[in-house]
Amino acid sequence: MYGKFQQHLAAELASIEQAGLYKNERIICSPQGAEITLADGSKALNFCANNYLGLSDNPRLIEAAKRAMDARGYGMSSVRFICGTQDLHKQLEQAVAAYFHTEDAILYAACFDANGGVFEPLFTAEDAIISDALNHASIIDGVRLCKAVRYRYANADMADLERCLQQAQAQRFRIIVTDGVFSMDGNVAPVDKICDLAEKYDALVMVDESHSAGVVGRTGRGVAEQFDCYGRIDIHTGTLGKSFGGAVGGFTTGRKEIIDMLRQRSRPYLFSNSLPPMIAAAGIELFKMLEESNELHTRQQENVLYFRERMLAAGFDIKPTQSAICAVMLYDAPLSQRFAAAMARRGIFVTGFYYPVVPKGEARIRVQISAAHTHDQLDRAIAAFIEVGHELGVLK
Ligand SMILES: *Cc1c(COP(=O)(O)O)cnc(C)c1O
C-alpha cells in the first residue's frame, strides 16, 4: 500500500529541498542561551531564539521547577477538569491575570492551543472574525475551526480594518484579532487605533502577546501597557515559551465570562493534558521575578538600541523595530541564505527569511536580541555582520 504514497512524499520532499525550503534542525548540546554549544563541541552566539529576557537557563526558574518536581511529581496524567488541576495551576492563572491586569486566565499546553481553542467556543456563523493578514499560523488555524464569517485586513492597515468593520456590521458580534508584535518585521500592532475602531464599530479586541509580552511597554507588560489600553482589550493570548522562561505552555487571559466559557467549551483545554506541576511552579516564580525587578526588560531594551545604532551606523538597512526583533533587509532571497550561512561559519546564528515567509523581494536576516547578550557578544555579532556585509557586497 505504501509504495505509491511513498513516491508521492519523496517527490514532494525533493521539491521542498529544490525550492530551498527544506528545514533542518540545529543540534544544540547545551542549555539554551546567548552562547550555545553544538554537537561537534563548537560554540555559537545565538541570535535566533525567542529567549528575550534570557530566562531559558535561569537558576531561579530551574530551582523552582526542581522543587515542584520533588514535591508534586512529574506529570498530571489528566486533563484539567477531571483530576488535573493543582493549586499551582490556579496560582499561575492568577499570576498571568495580575500581570496583564485582566480578570482571569486559563492555561493551555501551548499558545498554539490557546489560539486554536479560543474562537470556536465563543463565536458562530452569525459572527465575524477580522484578522490581520500577518497573524500567526495558530490564529489562522483557530479561525478555520470556527464557523464565523472571516475578514482579513492588510498588516496594521487601519483604513483596511475600517473597511472590514463596515462590512462586518452585517454580523451579530465582531472580534478584531492581531498579533501584538509581528515576528518578521518586529513592528507593534497599533492597538490604540484598533481599540478606537473597535469602539466605533462595536467590536471586541483580541491580541496575541507571544512576541510582545516581556518586551513591549514601559515595563514589558505588552501592548496594553504600551498604548495605555487597559480595559479595552477583551482577550490576550500568550506563551510561556518565549520571554516567560521558554519552556512550554500557553494562556488566554481577559474578561471573566470569556474565560469561564473557555473552561466549559475550549477543546484543547478539555481534551489535552494539564501542564506539569514543575512548569506551573516555575511560571509562578517567573511572574514573581518580573514583579520584583524590571532589570531584565531594561537590559533587553538597551541591547536592542545598542545593536540597532551600531548596525545603522555601519550602513545596514534595518526595519524600524519596536520590539526585540531586528530585520536586517537584504531584499534578495539567495543573498539572505548566503549571508546567514557566512554568519554561521563565523559562529553567529541568525536566520535568513525569504518568500513565502516574507513578501517577494523582501528577503532579510532576522536578529533576535536578548537581555542575556553581553555588549561583547553584540559587538562580535556586529563585527561579523560588517565583515560579511563587505564580503557579499551589501556594504559599500
Ligand atoms: C510563538 C507563537 C505562538 C505559539 O506559541 P507556542 O506556545 O510555542 O505554541 C502563537 N502565536 C504567536 C504570535 C507566536 O509568536
Side-chain angles (χ1 to χ4, degrees):
M1 287 305 293
Y2 185 48
K4 268 192 187 162
F5 190 59
Q6 184 183 30
Q7 284 166 16
H8 160 74
L9 291 182
E12 279 292 294
L13 286 166
S15 80
I16 292 172
E17 191 145 21
Q18 252 167 23
L21 297 175
Y22 195 88
K23 294 171 187 68
N24 287 297
E25 294 172 349
R26 283 175 174 144
I27 312 296
I28 301 169
C29 297
S30 66
Q32 182 65 280
E35 189 171 59
I36 48 181
T37 308
L38 308 179
D40 66 2
S42 66
K43 292 194 187 302
L45 291 183
N46 184 1
F47 288 89
C48 47
N50 307 306
N51 186 21
Y52 297 131
L53 297 179
L55 291 171
S56 302
D57 61 349
N58 181 270
R60 260 179 84 174
L61 298 185
I62 295 168
E63 199 45 49
K66 281 182 181 167
R67 273 200 312 272
M69 185 137 74
D70 286 341
R72 296 300 181 82
Y74 179 61
M76 290 307 297
S77 309
S78 172
V79 299
R80 286 286 300 276
F81 79 98
I82 296 182
C83 58
T85 299
Q86 288 187 343
D87 51 351
L88 297 174
H89 296 97
K90 299 310 291 180
Q91 286 164 24
L92 177 54
E93 285 172 345
Q94 282 160 20
V96 169
Y99 185 84
F100 287 98
H101 297 217
T102 46
E103 292 173 4
D104 199 0
I106 174 174
L107 299 174
Y108 289 86
C111 186
F112 208 105
D113 288 330
N115 287 332
V118 71
F119 300 108
E120 186 261 346
L122 300 174
F123 303 105
T124 72
E126 286 182 84
D127 306 317
I129 301 172
I130 306 165
S131 183
D132 189 290
L134 292 191
N135 279 343
H136 190 261
S138 56
I139 293 178
I140 296 169
D141 284 9
V143 171
R144 281 185 186 143
L145 294 171
C146 173
K147 294 198 164 59
V149 180
R150 300 167 203 172
Y151 296 88
R152 198 171 87 131
Y153 62 97
N155 178 233
D157 182 332
M158 293 301 97
D160 204 26
L161 171 58
E162 184 156 20
R163 173 191 64 79
C164 291
L165 282 162
Q166 284 163 355
Q167 287 179 19
Q169 294 305 303
Q171 277 77 47
R172 178 184 60 168
F173 300 121
R174 287 153 291 284
I175 183 163
I176 306 166
V177 185
T178 183
D179 281 10
V181 164
F182 295 94
S183 64
M184 288 301 143
D185 288 2
N187 58 316
V188 180
V191 174
D192 49 346
K193 300 198 181 78
I194 290 174
C195 288
D196 290 345
L197 284 173
E199 271 150 39
K200 183 169 171 193
Y201 291 99
D202 192 20
L204 299 160
V205 175
M206 169 177 147
V207 180
D208 180 338
E209 301 262 20
S210 289
H211 282 287
S212 45
V215 176
V216 164
R218 193 179 52 81
T219 68
R221 284 166 185 249
V223 296
E225 183 180 58
Q226 167 99 347
F227 295 106
D228 195 16
C229 285
Y230 285 116
R232 302 176 78 195
I233 299 168
D234 302 284
I235 302 173
H236 307 251
T237 58
T239 181
L240 300 175
K242 293 187 171 114
S243 286
F244 293 160
V248 73
F251 53 83
T252 301
T253 185
R255 312 242 186 234
K256 180 183 177 304
E257 296 77 10
I258 291 176
I259 305 303
D260 274 354
M261 186 55 78
L262 296 177
R263 281 192 214 285
Q264 300 310 310
R265 298 239 174 103
S266 181
R267 293 165 70 84
Y269 178 81
L270 294 174
F271 299 108
S272 187
N273 207 28
S274 288
L275 285 177
M278 58 186 154
I279 297 289
I284 295 165
E285 188 69 17
L286 160 89
F287 286 107
K288 214 181 279 171
M289 284 169 60
L290 298 182
E291 196 67 53
E292 284 169 15
S293 161
N294 204 43
E295 188 196 328
L296 292 174
H297 176 252
T298 304
R299 198 180 316 151
Q300 183 258 312
Q301 298 280 290
E302 281 170 6
N303 280 350
V304 173
L305 273 181
Y306 185 94
F307 180 81
R308 268 183 65 74
E309 278 172 7
R310 280 156 186 78
M311 288 288 284
L312 287 169
F316 283 104
D317 174 6
I318 302 189
K319 287 235 178 194
T321 190
Q322 301 157 290
S323 65
I325 293 165
C326 294
V328 182
M329 299 306 292
L330 298 174
Y331 302 100
D332 181 67
L335 176 62
S336 71
Q337 297 310 292
R338 288 210 310 277
F339 204 108
M343 292 292 284
R345 282 196 296 276
R346 287 165 173 78
I348 314 284
F349 281 178
V350 293
T351 319
F353 287 111
Y354 59 98
Y355 182 82
V357 180
V358 295
K360 271 207 171 99
E362 288 196 26
R364 67 196 64 186
I365 299 287
R366 183 176 73 174
V367 183
Q368 292 174 285
I369 305 288
S370 164
H373 291 125
T374 63
H375 279 189
D376 173 59
Q377 290 169 333
L378 294 168
D379 288 341
R380 280 156 64 194
I382 295 159
F385 261 106
I386 292 172
E387 211 176 285
V388 175
H390 284 298
E391 189 179 293
L392 297 181
V394 175
L395 295 178
K396 299 290 164 270

